[in-house]
Amino acid sequence: MLMTINFVIEHVAKLHPDTVPDSIKCRWLSELDGKIMKETMHKDGFIPYRFPDDGERELVVKEPYDNLYELYLIAMSDFFSGELANYSSSAVLFEEAYSEFRKSYLRNNMPPQYGFVV
């Protein structure tokens, strides 16, 4: 299954209804993917998503780690709606999912290590 911007936004709306506009959620996803591209994948040139034009665009993180997008939107929604107790829990879940993705990505995409010759 392709994890697109529209899919994540629609799925989160069913799991965690809120009043945050979809355009804001798209911006949050864009910021997250930009951060992932730069800090984890060490790639430049990320073009921010625009809503609704990029709604069918596939997000950067693939299965089995792509649930981090839903967790991120839920955490952000909790934070900006002032649900700080809920935010604490949802932020921890997101951070765990993001950490698992980062570890897996770095483990599988490390550049070759060259040792010193003594």
Side-chain angles (χ1 to χ4, degrees), residues 36 40-41 61 65 68 97-105:
I36 290 168
T40 301
M41 298 177 168
V61 176
Y65 303 102
L68 67 86
Y98 185 51
S99 176
E100 288 302 311
F101 160 72
R102 282 181 53 90
K103 286 189 270 184
S104 174
Y105 183 86

Side-chain angles (χ1 to χ4, degrees), residues 63-77:
E63 288 183 291
Y65 303 102
D66 54 359
N67 70 322
L68 67 86
Y69 292 114
E70 293 148 343
L71 296 171
Y72 186 70
L73 289 185
I74 291 168
M76 294 295 283
S77 174

Side-chain angles (χ1 to χ4, degrees), residues 18-67:
D18 59 38
T19 59
V20 178
D22 291 350
S23 59
I24 300 291
K25 292 177 184 177
C26 179
R27 183 170 53 91
W28 291 342
L29 292 171
S30 183
E31 291 167 356
L32 179 59
D33 269 359
K35 179 179 177 179
I36 290 168
M37 292 286 290
K38 186 161 191 75
E39 295 176 4
T40 301
M41 298 177 168
H42 303 287
K43 296 178 181 177
D44 291 322
F46 176 77
I47 299 171
Y49 306 139
R50 292 185 346 233
F51 191 81
D53 299 343
D54 291 328
E56 292 305 313
R57 190 164 167 188
E58 187 175 4
L59 297 166
V60 171
V61 176
K62 310 298 181 233
E63 288 183 291
Y65 303 102
D66 54 359
N67 70 322

Side-chain angles (χ1 to χ4, degrees), residues 75-94:
M76 294 295 283
S77 174
D78 287 341
F79 179 79
F80 283 104
S81 65
E83 299 289 335
L84 298 184
N86 290 342
Y87 170 72
S88 294
S89 298
S90 53
V92 166
L93 291 172
F94 165 72

